[in-house]
Amino acid sequence: MEHVHGRTLEDWLAERGPFASHEAILIGIDLCRALAAVHAAGLVHRDVKTRNVVREHTGRIVLMDFGAGVDVRAGRSEARGVAGTPIYLAPEVLRGMPASPQSDLYGLGVLLYRLVTRSYPFSAGTLEELREAQRIAPRPLKDARPGLPAPFRRVVERWLAPDRA
């Protein structure tokens, strides 16, 4: 296993505050590439979040911690059930449906929202409150952080939309 020298995106966020949009876009592109490779291998990560992404000192972005990951080829059932960090989990996963590449993109949407706002798209104290909050669209990014590029906002909001399927 490779030893990665760097810090998590959550650590960067805590130290520096919200990321600039261009930085978040580059991180998003790197993570899309990583997830494309994971999904092409028939796997789903199931815990895409700022604590599971390391930025090396060279700037390389590394998706880490596949402990909740599953092989979804041939309809294997182990992709069912709640595994991962609830605030990053897609609504269907919180309802007990199987994890999918789309649910990883939902987690990526939460991650990018967090990077540029330092907050989460939903507020909830319990799993039931989170399930209820996810039934409506999250706080628009233009309200949470004015000035973000419209294409970036559209992608993140599409990944978080209640009707994204």
Side-chain angles (χ1 to χ4, degrees), residues 111-129:
L111 179 149
L112 292 172
Y113 191 106
R114 178 142 177 81
L115 286 185
V116 297
T117 67
R118 204 174 185 177
S119 63
Y120 294 103
F122 302 103
S123 302
T126 66
L127 281 178
E128 192 51 45
E129 288 175 0

Side-chain angles (χ1 to χ4, degrees), residues 58-130:
T58 62
R60 183 174 78 130
I61 299 298
V62 181
L63 180 61
M64 309 285 288
D65 193 356
F66 283 77
V70 293
D71 185 338
V72 293
R73 293 174 290 198
R76 294 186 182 184
S77 61
E78 66 264 18
R80 290 189 176 275
V82 177
T85 306
I87 195 70
Y88 288 90
L89 293 179
E92 65 274 12
V93 174
L94 282 177
R95 291 191 311 267
M97 301 296 292
S100 68
Q102 291 76 20
S103 54
D104 277 350
L105 288 179
Y106 180 92
L108 180 54
V110 174
L111 179 149
L112 292 172
Y113 191 106
R114 178 142 177 81
L115 286 185
V116 297
T117 67
R118 204 174 185 177
S119 63
Y120 294 103
F122 302 103
S123 302
T126 66
L127 281 178
E128 192 51 45
E129 288 175 0
L130 179 57

Side-chain angles (χ1 to χ4, degrees), residues 5-79:
H5 297 277
R7 295 184 11 233
T8 69
L9 294 182
E10 189 64 31
D11 291 340
W12 283 93
L13 189 62
E15 182 180 305
R16 297 182 24 208
F19 284 61
S21 60
H22 69 277
E23 220 178 346
I25 289 167
L26 293 174
I27 290 168
I29 290 168
D30 285 347
L31 289 174
C32 282
R33 288 182 179 136
L35 286 172
V38 167
H39 298 156
L43 305 172
V44 176
H45 188 280
R46 296 202 313 170
D47 203 15
V48 177
K49 63 182 180 180
T50 55
R51 291 198 185 282
N52 285 343
V53 178
V54 171
R55 177 190 246 171
E56 287 188 316
H57 302 295
T58 62
R60 183 174 78 130
I61 299 298
V62 181
L63 180 61
M64 309 285 288
D65 193 356
F66 283 77
V70 293
D71 185 338
V72 293
R73 293 174 290 198
R76 294 186 182 184
S77 61
E78 66 264 18

